[in-house]
Amino acid sequence: MESIDSDDEKGDDLLIAQLEQRILAAVNDSAYVWRTVEGLARDTGLSGDEVDEIINRSDKFIKARRSNQHGQSLYSTREKYEADAGIRERLLSVITNRLGG
C-alpha cells in the first residue's frame, strides 16, 4: 500500500505535467517564436512565478540568448523555433553560440 506522501507526489507531478502542457500549447499556438513569462502567464491564466518555475524545471523549453527590449527573458520550444524561426534568426543563433556571445 502506498503512503499518502507518495499519492501527494503523484498528484503534484500530474498537476505540473498539466500546467506544462498549457504552457507548451501557448508557445506552440502563438504567432510569435519567442515568448516572455508574462505573456505566457497571461495566455495560460497562471501566475508569472508558476510559468517561470515550470519552464525552468522542464527540458521542453529553450531560452533565447538575448532578452527583449524590456530586458525580459524569452522562451520557446525547440519545435516552434525549428518550424517558425527564419533562416536569418537560426544562422545568427548558430554564430552567436559559436562565438560565445
Side-chain angles (χ1 to χ4, degrees), residues 18-41:
Q18 290 171 342
L19 297 178
E20 181 182 65
Q21 287 303 311
R22 283 171 58 181
I23 298 167
L24 286 167
V27 171
N28 290 328
D29 294 343
S30 174
Y32 304 103
V33 175
W34 298 104
R35 300 293 311 273
T36 64
V37 167
E38 291 77 12
L40 291 169

Side-chain angles (χ1 to χ4, degrees), residues 4 7 11 13 20-21 23 25 29-30 33 36-37 41 54 60-61 63 69 71 85-88 99 101:
I4 293 174
D7 289 343
D13 290 345
E20 181 182 65
Q21 287 303 311
I23 298 167
D29 294 343
S30 174
V33 175
T36 64
V37 167
I54 291 167
K60 297 179 181 173
F61 298 93
K63 182 177 180 180
Q69 64 271 25
I87 187 71
R88 181 178 181 271
L99 296 178

Side-chain angles (χ1 to χ4, degrees), residues 26-75:
V27 171
N28 290 328
D29 294 343
S30 174
Y32 304 103
V33 175
W34 298 104
R35 300 293 311 273
T36 64
V37 167
E38 291 77 12
L40 291 169
R42 183 182 57 249
D43 289 355
T44 60
L46 301 172
S47 73
D49 288 341
E50 290 170 318
V51 171
D52 189 56
E53 181 178 342
I54 291 167
I55 283 175
N56 286 303
R57 290 175 72 171
S58 175
D59 62 354
K60 297 179 181 173
F61 298 93
I62 57 175
K63 182 177 180 180
R65 292 188 60 88
R66 58 184 189 271
S67 38
N68 70 6
Q69 64 271 25
H70 303 290
Q72 298 168 307
S73 295
L74 298 168
Y75 298 91

Side-chain angles (χ1 to χ4, degrees), residues 65 95-101:
R65 292 188 60 88
I95 293 168
T96 302
N97 286 334
R98 286 191 180 159
L99 296 178

